[in-house]
């Protein structure tokens, strides 16, 4: 039996080209979607960074105010303790003086035996 002869396939190149064009179209579509996602992520990042900067600035302002208030309260408390100690010393001095005055000015009752 004689060998079969191979015949040239018609339109074989066209189907390969259509297949490659489909792949190119899919890749372009996927690239566009990825670029959109990247753009959205970048704008979200910029927005979040801006919010964080504003929040950090506000937090630092509050912290500085709280530190100043704490320092002021500590100073006031120290002054109050100093005033309290001074007042206690003055009160002790007045009590001692009062005790001496009472012993000098208030006469003792005479006993019945005299």
């Amino acid at each position: 039996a004689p060998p079969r002869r191979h015949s040239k396939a018609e339109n074989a190149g066209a189907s390969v080209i259509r297949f490659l064009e489909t792949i190119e179209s899919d890749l372009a579509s996927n690239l566009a979607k990825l670029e959109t996602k990247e753009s959205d992520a970048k704008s979200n990042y910029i927005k979040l960074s801006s919010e964080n900067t504003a929040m950090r600035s506000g937090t630092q302002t509050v912290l500085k105010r709280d530190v100043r208030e704490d320092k002021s309260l500590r100073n006031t408390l120290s002054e109050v303790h100093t005033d309290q100690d001074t007042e206690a010393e003055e009160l002790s001095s007045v009590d001692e003086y009062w005790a001496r005055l009472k012993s000098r000015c208030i006469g003792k009752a005479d006993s019945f035996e005299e």
Side-chain angles (χ1 to χ4, degrees):
R4 279 181 158 202
R5 295 213 165 227
H6 185 275
S7 64
K8 179 178 170 183
E10 293 183 26
N11 294 330
S15 65
V16 170
I17 291 174
R18 276 194 308 271
F19 180 69
L20 290 174
E21 286 174 344
T22 303
I23 291 173
E24 180 186 21
S25 173
D26 289 347
L27 288 174
S29 174
N30 287 340
L31 178 62
K33 288 177 185 176
L34 287 174
E35 287 175 344
T36 302
K37 283 183 182 180
E38 181 181 10
S39 175
D40 291 346
K42 184 177 181 179
S43 53
N44 285 340
Y45 171 79
I46 291 171
K47 179 182 175 187
L48 185 60
S49 292
S50 175
E51 289 173 359
N52 287 344
T53 300
M55 187 184 312
R56 186 178 315 114
S57 174
T59 301
Q60 287 174 347
T61 301
V62 169
L63 181 63
K64 287 177 184 177
R65 185 195 70 220
D66 288 349
V67 167
R68 280 194 309 266
E69 184 179 352
D70 180 62
K71 187 175 181 180
S72 173
L73 289 173
R74 287 177 189 268
N75 287 340
T76 302
L77 183 62
S78 176
E79 291 171 4
V80 166
H81 282 297
T82 302
D83 290 348
Q84 184 182 18
D85 293 342
T86 303
E87 294 295 325
E89 288 175 16
E90 289 177 4
L91 180 59
S92 176
S93 296
V94 168
D95 285 342
E96 287 176 22
Y97 182 70
W98 176 249
R100 283 186 284 160
L101 271 180
K102 277 190 351 183
S103 67
R104 286 188 204 163
C105 296
I106 299 176
K108 295 188 177 186
D110 295 329
S111 65
F112 289 111
E113 295 176 4
E114 293 180 20

